[in-house]
Structure formats: structure tokens, C-alpha cells
Amino acid sequence: MSPPVVPKRRGVARLWHAAGHSLDGLHAGWHEPAFRQEVLLATALVPTAFWLGRDWVQIALLVGSVMLLMVVELLNTAVESVVDRVGPEWHALSKRAKDLGSAAVLLSLLFAGGVWGAALWTWWRG
């Protein structure tokens, strides 16, 4: 028995369905504690970026670093979900995939911390 054929959507219908999948992804991400913490942090940091940033470039870096962190967290969750879907048994490649995703989150967190730290340092020094 072959899988059902899904019709190719075009134009507005494709965009509409893609938006639905994106919203489903955000909903799924919300069930991850780390993503929820990052969203709550973003609700404080994004408005602060408009106060702290001296020009649009600084604001974009401050907001972008927070958004990048959330994107990487979602991608890490996707990798973990696929690995868990493959099977519950331990495998070196599964561990490697999960460790690489975790390292990507760590690097994006360090990047965001560095951007915000530099902006705060510049603001404090006047």
C-alpha cells in the first residue's frame, strides 16, 4: 500500500499551509522548558534593546542575538525529536547528533551574552 499523494500547493495556498506548519512548530517548541525560558527572556530583552541600543545596528544585534538563540533552540529540539523517533536505544551517532545540537545552543547563548554584555558595558561607560 503506497502512501497518499499530497497535492502540490502553489501561491497563497502554499504560504497559508506553510504558516500553519510554522505555528505548529512554535506550539511544539513552547512545550520545551528551555524554549519557554528563552521566550520569556525575549519578552524582557527585546523591548530593552530599543532602550539600550544607540542606533539601528545595535538594536538589530541585540534583538537578533536573542532571536538566533531561539532559532537554534528550536533546531536543537527538532534534531532531538528525530533522534528519539529513530529509536530509544543508545547509539554513538544519536549521542553525537544531540551533543552537536546542544553545542550549537551553547554557542548561540555565548554569542547573545557577549553582544548584550558589550552593549551594557558601552552603555555603562557612557
Side-chain angles (χ1 to χ4, degrees):
M1 186 169 170
S2 62
V5 177
V6 178
K8 295 213 179 218
R9 294 183 175 93
R10 299 181 189 276
V12 175
R14 187 183 84 61
L15 292 174
W16 180 258
H17 285 276
H21 293 303
S22 297
L23 291 175
D24 288 345
L26 289 172
H27 184 260
W30 184 253
H31 293 291
E32 294 294 319
F35 184 70
R36 267 197 317 273
Q37 291 170 350
E38 291 160 2
V39 169
L40 294 174
L41 185 64
T43 61
L45 291 181
V46 169
T48 303
F50 287 91
W51 171 76
L52 182 62
R54 294 186 176 181
D55 57 20
W56 73 269
V57 174
Q58 282 188 357
I59 294 168
L61 278 171
L62 291 166
V63 172
S65 68
V66 174
M67 293 296 126
L68 176 66
L69 175 60
M70 294 191 313
V71 167
V72 172
E73 186 67 55
L74 288 172
L75 292 172
N76 180 47
T77 300
V79 167
E80 289 180 352
S81 296
V82 170
V83 168
D84 292 344
R85 161 68 172 83
V86 169
E89 65 278 349
W90 187 91
H91 192 280
L93 290 175
S94 297
K95 179 184 181 334
R96 181 178 174 168
K98 287 187 171 190
D99 289 349
L100 288 166
S102 181
V105 172
L106 174 64
L107 290 177
S108 64
L109 187 59
L110 292 173
F111 174 71
V115 168
W116 278 86
L120 287 169
W121 176 259
T122 302
W123 173 80
W124 187 19
R125 290 192 56 203

